[in-house]
């Protein structure tokens, strides 16, 4: 059995290029292995996409400074939360692979930004109509929406009728489809 000395470098962890490529593309989780110098020893495709999206200066060979600082100087026992106003947030969890902490496995969890009713204003709706449509897409009935918005059921019904007309749709279901086309992009 061969022992790998610590601290480890990228050159000390050779993987056959075909195996590396297969692992990077096949794993459905965002995983990253790095050393305490920030060298990326392994990263899945999903991880590389997150790093490019969330960090202005990203590289395929080293982790962004923010991650390295958290890993080396911060409290890496707690997740690092990185927010982007349009792309949501990623939560980075560290799992030390060596007792000295010189080698780490990280898992990146992505959560989409929840644009909520504000995004629905792009459909030409008023703020209140957008709120009503948002709750329609969440499966709420008019009486339930009335309670949530602290309005009368008749007012919610009127807002719903107005938004159907603006969207050019006849039913709640078709209005929800329009909303989901905006909310899921």
């Amino acid at each position: 059995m061969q022992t790998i000395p610590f601290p480890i470098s990228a050159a000390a962890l050779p993987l056959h290029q075909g195996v590396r490529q297969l692992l990077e593309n096949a794993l459905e989780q965002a995983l990253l292995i790095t050393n305490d110098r920030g060298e990326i020893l392994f990263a899945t495709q999903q991880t590389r996409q997150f790093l490019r999206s969330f960090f202005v200066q990203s590289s395929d060979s080293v982790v962004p400074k923010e991650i390295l600082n958290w890993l080396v100087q911060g409290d890496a026992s707690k997740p690092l939360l990185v927010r982007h106003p349009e792309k949501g947030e990623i939560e980075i969890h560290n799992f030390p692979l060596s007792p000295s902490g010189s080698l780490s496995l990280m898992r990146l969890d992505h959560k989409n930004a929840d644009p909520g009713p504000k995004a629905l204003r792009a459909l030409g709706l008023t703020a209140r109509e957008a709120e009503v449509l948002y709750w329609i897409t969440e499966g709420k009935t008019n009486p339930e929406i009335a309670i949530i918005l602290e309005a009368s059921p008749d007012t919610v019904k009127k807002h719903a009728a107005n938004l159907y007309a603006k969207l050019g749709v006849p039913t709640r279901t078709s209005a929800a489809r329009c909303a989901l086309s905006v909310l899921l992009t």
Side-chain angles (χ1 to χ4, degrees), residues 2-185:
Q2 178 188 7
T3 20
I4 300 173
F6 290 98
I8 192 168
S9 69
L13 191 68
L15 278 178
H16 184 272
Q17 189 59 31
V19 173
R20 178 182 294 275
Q21 202 69 21
L22 182 67
L23 280 172
E24 287 177 359
N25 293 328
L27 293 173
E28 293 182 13
Q29 292 188 33
L31 300 173
L32 170 71
I33 299 175
T34 186
N35 60 24
D36 58 359
R37 291 185 302 281
E39 295 173 311
I40 295 176
L41 306 176
F42 175 82
T44 60
Q45 284 301 109
Q46 192 175 25
T47 299
R48 293 183 190 284
Q49 289 172 346
F50 289 155
L51 294 178
R52 281 191 291 273
S53 294
F54 282 82
F55 299 95
V56 178
Q57 296 182 354
S58 65
S59 160
D60 282 343
S61 58
V62 288
V63 296
K65 285 183 215 173
E66 296 93 328
I67 295 176
L68 184 59
N69 289 340
W70 163 74
L71 194 59
V72 176
Q73 299 168 354
D75 184 1
S77 65
K78 296 179 182 168
L80 173 66
L81 189 62
V82 180
R83 288 189 173 103
H84 189 282
E86 296 163 8
K87 298 173 184 164
E89 61 187 30
I90 53 173
E91 191 172 85
I92 305 171
H93 299 267
N94 179 41
F95 304 96
L97 294 176
S98 66
S100 65
S102 61
L103 189 63
S104 292
L105 168 68
M106 288 180 248
R107 185 185 74 225
L108 288 73
D109 295 321
H110 180 249
K111 297 173 186 157
N112 284 323
D114 181 17
K118 288 181 184 177
L120 298 176
R121 299 280 315 268
L123 296 172
L125 306 175
T126 65
R128 200 56 153 183
E129 290 165 348
E131 287 178 310
V132 169
L133 180 56
Y134 176 79
W135 290 112
I136 288 172
T137 63
E138 293 291 318
K140 303 295 182 192
T141 63
N142 283 353
E144 290 171 324
I145 296 170
I147 292 168
I148 292 168
L149 298 180
E150 298 178 350
S152 77
D154 288 339
T155 301
V156 171
K157 188 176 179 181
K158 184 65 176 172
H159 284 307
N162 289 341
L163 71 90
Y164 299 162
K166 286 182 180 179
L167 296 175
V169 297
T171 64
R172 291 174 83 81
T173 304
S174 47
R177 270 190 170 156
C178 289
L180 290 174
S181 71
V182 171
L183 294 173
L184 298 178
T185 57

